[in-house]
Amino acid sequence: MSTSVFNSVCSNRGCLWKGEVQFSNLRKQNGCRLYFGRSNSLSQKRLQITNSKQEKQVNVALLGASGYTGAEIIRLLANHPFFGITVMTADRNAGKAIESVFPHFISQKDLPVMISTSDANFSDVDAVFCCLPHGTTQEIIKSLPERLKVVDLSADFRLSNLSEYEEWYGQPHKAPELQANLIGYKNIIIDAKSGVSGAGRGAKVANLYTELTEGIMSYGVTRHRHVPEIEQGLSEAANSKVTVSFTPHLMPMSRGMQSTIYIEMAPGVTADDLYQQLKVSYEGEEFVKLLEKGVVPRTHDVRGSNYCYMNVFPDRIPGRAIIVSVIDNLMKGASGQALQNLNIMMGFPENTGLGYLPLFP
């Protein structure tokens, strides 16, 4: 048996194994590569689908339950027919019930008390959601039992090149044996706007209400850590080196993310050609929607859902086009995609437990 690690991110999701490795390349229609492994760690009997919500078939451990992405995982799994949470960790809130941290979970009476990660017992656990900060997950995941399937929401396993990880994160990778060693000039400009929840739940002066309200703030200018992930994914898709200029901006909203992407097309290619190609690529994809021509995607229209809305617009400059995409950064950008990944790993339909319509207003 092997531990499979699924990276839950928009740019690149890698499945990493200890021991004997078998990779299967599943190219999803959201333009990202999903690597998943085949495993028999759950018996056929346990994988049988039942109609009873009470008979959860997959026991899940949630590491980092007191953060925003952890809370979103709890919300999603409350109505998932097959996944049930049996272990929850939150080192600073060990010994507390989840409703003491998030009062909106007061109705969830079957959730375990949060404990420290060092006290967690994984003997009856089948899968793990790791919702811990970047730089803290490597050694924890490395120490987990090898039979577990792991979905990591941090950036610790996104980069194939470990030297790039050290360059962008300022420290050596602590679990190189778990990292997939995948190998492999167009210029793209990406202007991204994100809700404040993307910065995490930790107390920071820059995230205070008075610091953010009625304003907009750029951050990570020229050196944001997601740059190498974006370039890695685009280069693999294009089969050639792609470089990007990426500037994120923090907006005074709780959740949501809009990316405005400015591209220079190959000679003879039009914005309509790009639209038609995206239409073919995402046809039949439940969670990625190419809107009707001329309709501008809005973060309001995907809030609370696992959807990505996108559209293509011809630039006023000949030979260029603008792509606008929107997601909920806590759903499709994190916890919703994580659940989608674990559904795939466990052999369930990938949309299981994710049929939430967007919240509006």
Side-chain angles (χ1 to χ4, degrees):
M1 292 302 176
S2 299
T3 299
S4 56
V5 182
F6 225 100
N7 279 313
S8 182
V9 296
C10 288
S11 55
N12 186 41
R13 305 160 187 68
C15 182
L16 320 156
W17 294 68
K18 292 182 189 174
E20 302 245 340
V21 179
Q22 268 193 320
F23 288 113
S24 178
N25 190 357
L26 175 65
R27 190 167 290 280
K28 294 304 299 173
Q29 293 175 342
N30 59 5
C32 305
R33 294 182 324 104
L34 295 175
Y35 284 94
F36 68 103
R38 296 180 288 276
S39 173
N40 295 319
S41 60
L42 290 182
S43 68
Q44 287 297 112
K45 180 178 180 181
R46 293 199 67 197
L47 283 175
Q48 289 177 348
I49 296 176
T50 69
N51 292 323
S52 172
K53 283 181 60 178
Q54 303 305 315
E55 296 181 15
K56 303 286 187 175
Q57 299 161 299
V58 177
N59 293 332
V60 172
L62 176 57
L63 309 185
S66 60
Y68 288 134
T69 55
E72 198 75 347
I73 290 288
I74 295 171
R75 182 178 75 90
L76 294 174
L77 295 193
N79 292 312
H80 196 286
F82 312 122
F83 299 160
I85 300 174
T86 56
V87 174
M88 295 198 307
T89 75
D91 290 349
R92 287 179 297 179
N93 291 290
K96 296 181 181 179
I98 190 64
E99 61 266 27
S100 68
V101 178
F102 294 110
H104 64 289
F105 287 135
I106 193 170
S107 63
Q108 301 302 303
K109 301 299 184 183
D110 58 344
L111 292 172
V113 171
M114 292 180 289
I115 58 177
S116 65
T117 304
S118 60
D119 292 334
N121 183 350
F122 297 98
S123 60
D124 293 324
V125 171
D126 303 305
V128 175
F129 285 111
C130 192
C131 300
L132 299 172
H134 309 307
T136 64
T137 67
Q138 300 153 40
E139 292 183 302
I140 291 175
I141 290 177
K142 182 179 178 179
S143 69
L144 293 175
E146 291 189 348
R147 63 180 177 79
L148 295 177
K149 289 183 170 63
V150 181
V151 182
D152 181 27
L153 280 74
S154 81
D156 280 2
F157 292 98
R158 297 180 192 175
L159 294 176
S160 303
N161 188 325
L162 294 181
S163 63
E164 281 195 346
Y165 180 90
E166 185 171 355
E167 175 188 351
W168 287 86
Y169 288 85
Q171 61 183 20
H173 201 282
K174 299 175 183 177
E177 69 277 18
L178 288 181
Q179 181 60 284
N181 188 24
L182 306 172
I183 302 178
Y185 284 109
K186 300 183 178 86
N187 295 317
I188 296 176
I189 299 173
I190 303 174
D191 176 29
K193 309 292 194 302
S194 176
V196 184
S197 58
R201 198 162 185 250
K204 303 171 187 176
V205 172
N207 296 344
L208 294 174
Y209 175 81
T210 50
E211 300 287 332
L212 289 173
T213 189
E214 301 180 28
I216 180 173
M217 181 183 71
S218 301
Y219 64 99
V221 180
T222 75
R223 290 292 300 175
H224 194 277
R225 60 177 177 244
H226 290 331
V227 168
E229 302 162 24
I230 298 169
E231 292 182 339
Q232 175 179 272
L234 291 176
S235 297
E236 289 171 352
N239 292 316
S240 63
K241 178 63 177 178
V242 175
T243 57
V244 302
S245 295
F246 172 66
T247 304
H249 307 268
L250 207 57
M251 302 293 290
M253 57 186 185
S254 60
R255 58 167 77 202
M257 180 179 292
Q258 175 179 307
S259 297
T260 307
I261 306 166
Y262 304 88
I263 62 173
E264 182 177 356
M265 295 175 289
V269 176
T270 67
D272 187 64
D273 294 331
L274 179 55
Y275 182 92
Q276 293 303 323
Q277 181 60 53
L278 290 173
K279 185 175 182 180
V280 171
S281 297
Y282 293 108
E283 186 176 8
E285 173 61 44
E286 180 170 358
F287 291 122
V288 181
K289 302 298 182 184
L290 182 65
L291 304 183
E292 294 295 324
K293 289 184 178 181
V295 178
V296 180
R298 307 186 312 162
T299 57
H300 264 313
D301 297 332
V302 294
R303 186 171 183 266
S305 78
N306 199 50
Y307 289 104
C308 171
Y309 288 177
M310 62 192 306
N311 214 339
V312 180
F313 303 88
D315 199 332
R316 60 181 293 271
I317 303 174
R320 293 179 176 268
I322 301 170
I323 300 174
V324 178
S325 70
V326 295
I327 61 172
D328 183 318
N329 61 293
L330 290 181
M331 283 290 290
K332 191 62 174 170
S335 303
Q337 182 64 55
L339 179 53
Q340 187 177 347
N341 291 350
L342 189 58
N343 282 333
I344 294 172
M345 295 175 75
M346 290 297 186
F348 297 121
E350 63 181 308
N351 60 358
T352 306
L354 288 169
Y356 292 92
L357 292 175
L359 299 170
F360 188 85

